[in-house]
Amino acid sequence: GDSVTQMEGPVTLSEEAFLTINCTYTATGYPSLFWYVQYPGEGLQLLLKATKADDKGSNKGFEATYRKETTSFHLEKGSVQVSDSAVYFCALTASSGGSYIPTFGRGTSLIVHP
Amino acid sequence: GAVVSQHPSWVICKSGTSVKIECRSLDFQATTMFWYRQFPKQSLMLMATSNEGSKATYEQGVEKDKFLINHASLTLSTLTVTSAHPEDSSFYICSALGTRDQETQYFGPGTRLLVL
């Protein structure tokens, strides 16, 4: 079946550092790829998405590019802030018989220090 | 973005009682809703998938008689934890796929359940 693998955390950075959270996937067909963010005590919010190869999703300074050749969707941000501290989930949605089936990674905790 | 609400956000109950959690899509019709349980080390566990008007599909290892799911309308799904026990204490999150965007899940804010 489909799967999503993301780097284990926590990732600890100083403010203004460069962020990369790796995500790779296995899927049949052509999934759409997502990054979700979860702030403490809250549900998940959609951060960005990409629906086909070479698409770049971006939002709030975060970016991720759909790389079909490496089956990856790494999340990057050039300069993190303390307010970016949260848990980040990589996910894919694949179509199966007319339904869309989601698969999530285990989440990566990001801690940004002032 | 699309809005999904959950109610209640917090619930404390005695062991043996039943608890109902509601998940509503507020500005779109949800053809499919998902129920997740989140454990303390952050991983999301998909419990079940429900389509409006049909029985929920439960993931392996999830007791369907204990976690009753009803998706009676295109904007409402409910999860009832029957005869709750302390090990059922967790953070329960719903999400919805719908007419707005058939591939993107929109999540509720979650419900924290504590069973004493």
Side-chain angles (χ1 to χ4, degrees):
Chain A
D2 299 344
S3 66
V4 174
T5 303
Q6 42 181 128
M7 58 191 293
E8 288 192 23
V11 173
T12 304
L13 296 172
S14 298
E15 203 165 26
E16 299 184 2
F18 184 86
L19 168 71
T20 300
I21 300 178
N22 290 336
C23 171
T24 57
Y25 67 92
T26 59
T28 54
Y30 302 95
S32 293
L33 302 175
F34 304 82
W35 276 101
Y36 288 87
V37 58
Q38 184 179 31
Y39 298 102
E42 299 182 10
L44 278 69
Q45 301 174 26
L46 177 65
L47 181 60
L48 55 84
K49 72 176 192 180
T51 58
K52 61 184 188 295
D54 300 325
D55 268 2
K56 178 186 284 187
S58 61
N59 186 25
K60 300 180 182 179
F62 291 89
E63 294 183 341
T65 301
Y66 191 145
R67 300 287 188 198
K68 192 172 189 302
E69 63 276 13
T70 55
T71 61
S72 64
F73 193 54
H74 304 322
L75 182 68
E76 297 182 336
K77 186 174 185 181
S79 177
V80 293
Q81 305 300 311
V82 173
S83 57
D84 293 327
S85 298
V87 179
Y88 293 82
F89 290 89
C90 184
L92 67 83
T93 303
S95 175
S96 174
S99 300
Y100 290 89
I101 311 299
T103 303
F104 279 80
R106 293 180 59 84
T108 302
S109 176
L110 170 65
I111 302 169
V112 181
H113 294 295
Chain B
V3 180
V4 175
S5 69
Q6 275 184 246
H7 178 81
S9 55
W10 247 111
V11 57
I12 302 173
C13 69
K14 292 182 179 179
S15 187
T17 60
S18 294
V19 175
K20 180 184 282 189
I21 302 169
E22 292 186 348
C23 177
R24 293 181 184 273
S25 56
L26 298 184
D27 57 353
F28 67 102
Q29 292 184 325
T31 50
T32 304
M33 284 186 169
F34 302 91
W35 286 95
Y36 293 87
R37 182 174 178 177
Q38 187 171 35
F39 295 98
K41 290 191 176 181
Q42 55 193 63
S43 63
L44 285 171
M45 184 191 85
L46 177 64
M47 299 174 67
T49 302
S50 73
N51 295 295
E52 185 265 339
S54 61
K55 289 184 178 180
T57 302
Y58 290 80
E59 295 299 303
Q60 196 170 14
V62 178
E63 297 177 62
K64 61 182 179 182
D65 294 331
K66 182 167 185 62
F67 298 99
L68 301 178
I69 291 171
N70 186 290
H71 192 162
S73 77
L74 284 171
T75 58
L76 174 65
S77 177
T78 60
L79 166 67
T80 301
V81 183
T82 61
S83 187
H85 287 93
E87 58 266 29
D88 299 325
S89 300
S90 194
F91 192 50
Y92 293 88
I93 309 175
C94 72
S95 70
L97 291 177
T99 53
R100 177 182 292 260
D101 178 344
Q102 292 183 352
E103 292 184 298
T104 302
Q105 288 186 85
Y106 294 96
F107 283 81
T111 296
R112 189 160 299 283
L113 170 64
L114 177 62
V115 185
L116 302 177

